[in-house]
Amino acid sequence: MQERKKLIVLIGPTAVGKTALSIRLAKKFNGEIISGDSMQVYKGMDIGTAKITKDEMEGIPHHLLDIKEPDEAFSAAEFQELVRGKIEEISSRGAIPIIVGGTGLYIQSVIYDYQFSEAGGDKEFREKLEKEAEIAGNEELHQRLNALDPVSAANIHPNNVRRVIRALEVLHTTGKSVSEYQSQQKPELLYETALIGLTMEREKLYSRINRRVELMMQQGLLQEVDTLWNKGIKSGQAIQAIGYKELYSYLRGEVSLESAIEQLKQNSRRYAKRQLTWFRNKMSVEWFDLSDEAEAEKKNKEISDFIAGKLNLK
């Protein structure tokens, strides 16, 4: 039997501290980092996605950043294919691949051997929904999914019509939601995986999120969004991202800037809550609480020791 590749996966909600820790781990274990964020693939969307800067990388190779234009679609299936290729490539160099991010479904699709394609298909039903989306709009179709399968709807952008239709198709052909269908399979880890989750006391995390939003505005998030707007990118998957859709509402004259910023903070906090729920329900994660900053060094050592033990690394 072929030996499984070693893989470190670092997950957790937005603003919990994944980026800084990932650099430390990459230095310690000769790692290369693969972004596990569905929005950091987009060029020109740096501030709002909290994309790591060249200086912050400290020379560590990073993958899957800036590979798409903001008007292009990006799916979990494409992510799965690209990341699995990167894992092979990084491993072949004798380095350890480290997936870092917060997009649970995308990461789950890579590390587990899910057979998504086994769920039945109905071409006629699919084509009917595609026509409905053209006539009634993406939001209408997404609302229908939300009524039938709120779990899937919460994890799919309304503008990601292909995934909305697929979720409805699985429900139509199997009588089960995508999440039900997947939970009945026995997913196996494809890699020798150390799966680490970072968490924090809720009030402290929410305070960090609010501060991060304020910092993003100081760094020029509005100008970044305005640049996309002026390029004519007025719809699509990318601008449904938190940090962009709120400021688009401001640019369309629907809300004041102050209201847009408050909405951005609230949506970011809600997203962090959903991320934690997803990770806790869907993956077997070793959790580390980073609430006490005075204990940071101790926690870092605990995490490093866990990885070294789990993957038999020095």
Side-chain angles (χ1 to χ4, degrees), residues 12 16 52 70 127 184-185 188 245 248 267 283 307 310:
V16 78
I52 191 167
E127 287 172 353
Q184 287 176 358
Q185 298 183 59
E188 291 183 18
K245 62 182 178 182
Y248 262 65
N267 287 343
M283 296 185 187
I307 292 168
K310 186 85 174 172

Side-chain angles (χ1 to χ4, degrees), residues 6-10 25 29 96-99 194 196 307 311 313:
K6 295 181 193 294
L7 175 67
I8 298 169
V9 181
L10 182 61
L25 295 177
F29 295 113
I96 301 285
I98 306 174
I99 301 176
I196 298 108
I307 292 168
L311 301 183
L313 298 170

Side-chain angles (χ1 to χ4, degrees), residues 76-104:
E78 189 176 354
F79 177 84
Q80 182 191 65
E81 184 182 350
L82 289 170
V83 174
R84 286 182 178 172
K86 287 293 178 188
I87 290 170
E88 294 297 319
E89 177 193 315
I90 293 165
S91 300
S92 73
R93 289 195 279 269
I96 301 285
I98 306 174
I99 301 176
V100 181
T103 309

Side-chain angles (χ1 to χ4, degrees), residues 43 45 69-72 225-239 248 252:
K43 297 173 188 173
M45 293 175 62
E69 296 297 335
D71 57 356
E72 291 183 280
V225 175
D226 198 43
T227 300
L228 294 171
W229 174 272
N230 290 327
K231 282 181 178 174
I233 299 163
K234 302 290 170 72
S235 64
Q237 186 178 338
I239 60 160
Y248 262 65
R252 283 193 293 263

Side-chain angles (χ1 to χ4, degrees), residues 191-206:
Y191 308 98
E192 194 180 334
T193 309
L195 184 49
I196 298 108
L198 304 183
T199 186
M200 190 173 278
E201 289 166 7
R202 184 165 292 181
E203 288 309 310
K204 185 158 194 174
L205 179 64
Y206 285 0

Side-chain angles (χ1 to χ4, degrees), residues 105 142 145 151-165 167 178:
L105 175 69
H142 190 266
L145 177 63
V151 176
S152 294
N155 290 297
I156 302 174
H157 281 298
N159 284 341
N160 196 338
V161 182
R162 186 170 63 175
R163 275 190 63 209
V164 171
I165 289 174
V178 171

